[in-house]
Every structure is written in structure tokens, then in C-alpha cells.
Amino acid sequence: MSVEDRERWDKRYAGGWKTQLHRTLLEFYHLAPVGKALELACGTGENAVFLAKVGFNVDAIDVSCVAIDKAKQRALEEGVQVNFICADLDEYKLSTDTYHLVINFYYLNRKLSEAIVKALKPGGILIFETYNEKHIILREDFNPLYLLKCGELPDLFKDLELIYHAENFNVSTFVGRKIT
Ligand SMILES: C[S@@+](CC[C@H](N)C(=O)[O-])C[C@H]1O[C@@H](n2cnc3c(N)ncnc32)[C@H](O)[C@@H]1O
């Protein structure tokens, strides 16, 4: 990622932008055995903190160190431990065969899909949700490179057992399990 892009995210978070706890996480996290979890592009950490509260040992990564500082503060206030990491996922190497749960909300980096599958333990669950190409109807300025094609998620994660897939207008959701 470019320095300008990183600064753009830092500026957004410094201006008070916050991530939210996603309903899809609440619906599906219980499918994963409680153990180690990873959140990709965690922003200010609401989802990672939730997972820590329900017993997961959480690693959570975002390129914005401003967001990560806010996330650390949030975890402190909520009295939970989360391993928040400020790093660029274009370069960061995910550990393999490590996680019982990986979550990715509103961040699309297709090059990570293989590493995500490798990062899961057998039986581990992936919850992935982000905007698809219909989003351009609402946000004409959105970079189409970061929008899923309709039907793309089951293909990106074809090595996982499909548990749930939905395309609700501009949002695509996929939940899958690693079998072996
Ligand atoms: C739309 S926000 C989504 C935040 C959060 N996952 C949520 O759903 O509320 C996208 C996030 O991706 C992060 N991001 C963008 N490019 C990244 C990269 N190369 N490495 C790590 N994080 C990145 C941004 O800093 C931002 O927090």
C-alpha cells in the first residue's frame, strides 16, 4: 500500500471514524471452536474486542496505526487482551495452520485468499463480508478493484466447505469451514 493510502486511513480514523460490530459476526462466530482468532483490517477493533470477550485469543491487524492505537485503548477500557498489530497486509506474512476463526469485514485483498485458507486450522471458520460491484450504484467514486464480482467469494474460497453465502444488494457474505 502507498504511504498516501495509509495516511488517508490515519486521517479518517483521527477524524473520529469508527468501525462497527458486524451482525454477521454475531450470527456465525459460534461455529468456530473457541481458540485463536484473526481479524484482518480490524480498524478500531470492535469485532476483535468482541471475540476476546467471548474467549478467543485474538490477533488483529490494520495498516492504520491511528486505528490500532484506538483499538488498544478500547481493549484496555473493556478489560480484554487483544494482540493488535499495525502492519500492511500487502506485506505481512500470516502464520499457517494457526487460527480457529478468521474474520474479514469490508476489506478486499484477493492476493490474501490463499494465505487465509492456509492460516486456518482444520475445522476453522472463515467469515468474510464486503461490498460487491453493485456498490458502485451508491458510491460512484468507489474503486471497482476493491469490489467483489457477484458470486466471487465461493470461488475465491473454493477450498473451504461452504456454510453460507449471500448477496444482499451491495454486500456479499461468505462463511466457510476448512475441512483438511
Ligand atoms: C472499510 S475499513 C473496514 C474496517 C473494519 N474491518 C470494519 O469492517 O469496520 C477498511 C480497513 O482496511 C484497512 N486497510 C486498508 N488497506 C490495508 C492494508 N494493506 N493492510 C492492512 N489494513 C488495511 C484500513 O486501514 C481500514 O481500517
Side-chain angles (χ1 to χ4, degrees):
M1 134 167 304
S2 67
V3 175
E4 292 77 26
D5 282 346
R6 183 191 284 251
E7 284 173 355
R8 196 166 47 84
W9 281 112
D10 278 346
K11 215 165 158 185
R12 199 175 280 185
Y13 285 114
W17 203 70
K18 266 178 42 168
T19 54
Q20 13 160 334
L21 182 58
H22 293 291
R23 204 175 57 185
T24 304
L25 179 65
L26 302 180
E27 280 174 21
F28 291 104
Y29 80 89
H30 60 87
L31 295 177
V34 177
K36 249 184 116 46
L38 169 68
E39 180 169 19
L40 299 166
C42 63
T44 49
E46 283 70 10
N47 297 279
V49 165
F50 169 79
L51 288 176
K53 277 185 171 172
V54 295
F56 285 87
N57 176 352
V58 189
D59 293 336
I61 303 168
D62 200 282
V63 76
S64 167
C65 296
V66 174
I68 289 293
D69 285 348
K70 292 191 176 207
K72 284 180 179 167
Q73 185 58 35
R74 182 174 195 93
L76 204 67
E77 284 164 13
E78 304 269 350
V80 288
Q81 284 262 336
V82 175
N83 179 28
F84 283 111
I85 301 161
C86 182
D88 183 350
L89 283 163
D90 287 338
E91 286 157 25
Y92 189 86
K93 208 167 159 8
L94 302 181
S95 315
T96 57
D97 192 22
T98 301
Y99 297 102
H100 301 89
L101 175 63
V102 176
I103 65 172
N104 180 118
F105 286 102
Y106 298 90
Y107 170 66
L108 180 59
N109 184 341
R110 292 175 174 87
K111 282 185 265 164
L112 275 184
S113 58
E114 209 183 312
I116 289 173
V117 174
K118 284 189 178 153
L120 284 166
K121 280 185 166 295
I125 296 287
L126 169 67
I127 303 174
F128 198 114
E129 180 169 278
T130 194
Y131 295 120
N132 62 46
E133 56 198 351
K134 293 192 186 131
H135 194 55
I136 212 86
I137 299 168
L138 305 177
R139 282 273 315 272
E140 274 181 21
D141 59 332
F142 207 95
N143 186 341
L145 274 181
Y146 300 124
L147 294 175
L148 288 162
K149 301 276 173 234
C150 288
E152 188 178 346
L153 279 177
D155 195 42
L156 264 183
F157 296 108
K158 57 181 176 310
D159 293 337
L160 301 181
E161 174 195 29
L162 181 104
I163 295 175
Y164 177 81
H165 174 234
E167 271 156 8
N168 290 315
F169 183 50
N170 62 329
V171 172
S172 297
T173 306
F174 173 90
V175 181
R177 181 185 282 114
K178 184 164 177 176
I179 301 298
T180 51

